[in-house]
Amino acid sequence: MLYNDHFDEVKERMIAYWNREAADRCSASLTVARPVIKDFSGNFYFDAEKADQMHRQRFESYDYLWGAIPSLFPYFGTAGIAEYVGSKPEYTPETTWFHPCLEEPDADAISFKCPEAFERQKEAIAKMLALSKNDYAVTVTDNCGIADALAIMRGTDNFLMDMIDEEDFVLEAMQKLLSIYKETQQQLFDLVEENNEGSIHSWMHLWAPKRCAQMQCDMSVMISPDMYKRFIVPELEELTSFLDYSVYHLDGQEQIRHLDALLSVKNLRAIQWTPVAGQPRTSAFISVLQRIQKAGKNLVLIPQIDEIETLLDNLSSRGLHLVLHAWSREEAEHIMETIRKHSKDRG
């Protein structure tokens, strides 16, 4: 890998992370800004040539230390399987939106009716892989969130009412979407496997020898713990059986009320805690993070630099992965020394 000359070491440490093995320090990715940062703004969507140019500029603007992995993340919209079943995407320079496509709660209307949307994405990723020339990783796209996809298709307000009044529809519809997800996601995993020497999650800087992807249910902030157990836990149980290395994207403190249900999912490997804007920082939730570790789940954290010492003094370094960025080599050296000094294996 051109932009990471220690990728074998990254893979070795990530295997120890997934297996919750004791190590000299916690797992951590650390990107460091170089003195001159090249412009790489904008979204590339299906433009493989632009994606390659933009990402090579990005990779040349940073040093990738420890577990940091230079990777291209093809983004066509979160919960993107909604497009495969009829939701129309709206691409903007900032992000992608999908429009509702299911006016009535009719599970029979859900099918893989837009395979051309998937094939277009698959073709774009294949072009990106060819242009990468194995110099960097190219990951799968962001198709996470089965319930989130159904909320897109129905419109969030309608979907929330469906969960109350149309339980059979919700459960059947989610099963159909799960089948479409697994069919398409497996093809994407197969497509990128050789280049990545396994599977990579881009912004979490996670590598795994087999299928690795995030799961999420962002709309769960609007439902009760009982509804989460009824509708979301079955989704997670099926996905964690399909994925070899699963990570749940826990998006904000409102989802803490679902944590017991989440921790009950046997095959879930890790939980990624998101410090949401306007909410307390990661280190304010030490007790919650300790609960996660005590339940035998790995952690992925994206803290501020001044939180690292507090986190490491209260959490076990075993099964802990930090995603970090430094603006200078001096700051990077300080971060690495702090991690070495304060990492402790607390079982």
Side-chain angles (χ1 to χ4, degrees):
M1 188 175 288
L2 178 63
Y3 301 101
N4 183 317
D5 61 2
H6 58 281
F7 191 47
D8 285 341
E9 297 174 22
V10 172
K11 293 186 292 181
E12 182 178 352
R13 189 170 286 273
M14 285 307 306
I15 289 174
Y17 163 78
W18 289 116
N19 292 337
R20 297 180 60 80
E21 296 172 358
D24 58 318
R25 60 168 175 82
C26 71
S27 174
S29 67
L30 179 56
T31 53
V32 188
R34 291 181 176 177
V36 177
I37 296 180
K38 298 180 180 180
D39 179 35
F40 46 80
S41 60
N43 207 323
F44 52 88
Y45 291 117
F46 297 92
D47 189 338
E49 288 77 14
K50 180 180 179 181
D52 178 63
Q53 180 184 28
M54 184 178 80
H55 281 77
R56 287 185 186 276
Q57 289 178 338
R58 173 178 293 164
F59 302 146
E60 291 166 3
S61 297
Y62 296 96
D63 290 320
Y64 289 79
L65 306 184
W66 281 0
I69 304 171
S71 61
L72 187 161
F73 175 33
Y75 181 75
F76 308 115
T78 303
I81 58 169
E83 183 178 2
Y84 306 163
V85 294
S87 286
K88 299 298 183 183
E90 184 172 330
Y91 301 110
T92 73
E94 293 78 26
T95 188
T96 302
W97 301 97
F98 295 101
H99 296 282
C101 65
L102 197 61
E103 293 185 3
E104 300 294 333
D106 180 9
D108 291 336
I110 297 176
S111 65
F112 191 8
K113 64 181 64 174
C114 299
E116 68 278 1
F118 172 67
E119 292 299 329
R120 184 186 181 201
Q121 294 176 7
K122 188 176 176 181
E123 181 180 352
I125 294 173
K127 289 180 179 178
M128 294 169 194
L129 284 165
L131 291 170
S132 76
K133 300 177 181 178
N134 299 110
D135 292 341
Y136 54 83
V138 178
T139 71
V140 299
T141 189
D142 195 9
N143 281 341
C144 62
I146 304 303
D148 285 346
L150 189 52
I152 289 170
M153 295 163 58
R154 285 284 290 134
T156 300
D157 290 348
N158 290 332
F159 181 56
L160 290 171
M161 293 305 300
D162 290 341
M163 297 176 88
I164 299 172
D165 298 329
E166 301 286 349
E167 181 176 315
D168 290 344
F169 156 73
V170 174
L171 293 174
E172 184 179 353
M174 289 181 66
Q175 279 300 313
K176 288 192 170 187
L177 291 175
L178 278 163
S179 296
I180 295 168
Y181 171 88
K182 289 189 287 186
E183 176 186 349
T184 54
Q185 199 74 1
Q186 184 59 58
Q187 292 184 52
L188 296 180
F189 281 132
D190 291 342
L191 185 62
V192 303
E193 181 180 14
E194 182 178 359
N195 182 76
N196 297 346
E197 300 178 38
S199 184
I200 290 172
H201 188 289
S202 181
W203 56 270
M204 293 188 203
H205 292 268
L206 295 174
W207 175 88
K210 295 183 180 180
R211 297 171 298 193
C212 174
Q214 79 181 63
M215 307 178 301
Q216 69 178 50
C217 184
D218 283 356
M219 56 82 58
S220 69
V221 299
M222 295 178 279
I223 64 175
S224 69
D226 285 343
M227 295 179 80
Y228 189 92
K229 292 175 186 175
R230 178 64 178 135
F231 297 107
I232 310 307
V233 169
E235 168 192 335
L236 302 181
E237 288 176 339
E238 185 156 348
L239 287 174
T240 55
S241 295
F242 168 70
L243 298 168
D244 301 288
Y245 298 86
S246 55
V247 186
Y248 187 87
H249 167 58
L250 199 151
D251 200 1
Q253 62 186 5
E254 288 85 1
Q255 292 193 28
I256 294 174
R257 65 179 180 268
H258 304 311
L259 186 57
D260 285 340
L262 186 57
L263 294 177
S264 74
V265 179
K266 181 180 178 181
N267 293 325
L268 175 63
R269 301 294 292 266
I271 294 176
Q272 181 264 322
W273 178 272
T274 298
V276 175
Q279 295 184 7
R281 301 195 305 167
T282 302
S283 55
F285 298 96
I286 291 291
S287 62
V288 177
L289 303 176
Q290 289 173 332
R291 280 174 61 194
I292 294 170
Q293 287 199 322
K294 187 176 180 180
K297 309 301 185 186
N298 286 12
L299 278 171
V300 179
L301 304 179
I302 311 176
Q304 299 296 311
I305 303 307
D306 63 353
E307 296 183 280
I308 296 173
E309 183 175 334
T310 299
L311 290 168
L312 292 178
D313 285 346
N314 288 278
L315 299 172
S316 177
S317 60
R318 187 185 297 226
L320 175 63
H321 179 70
L322 304 180
V323 180
L324 304 165
H325 175 74
W327 289 102
S328 68
R329 196 64 187 231
E330 182 180 21
E331 185 179 43
E333 292 295 338
H334 167 72
I335 291 170
M336 291 189 289
E337 179 59 28
T338 300
I339 291 175
R340 292 188 189 102
K341 181 179 179 180
H342 289 272
S343 288
K344 295 290 187 301
D345 178 16
R346 295 178 173 85

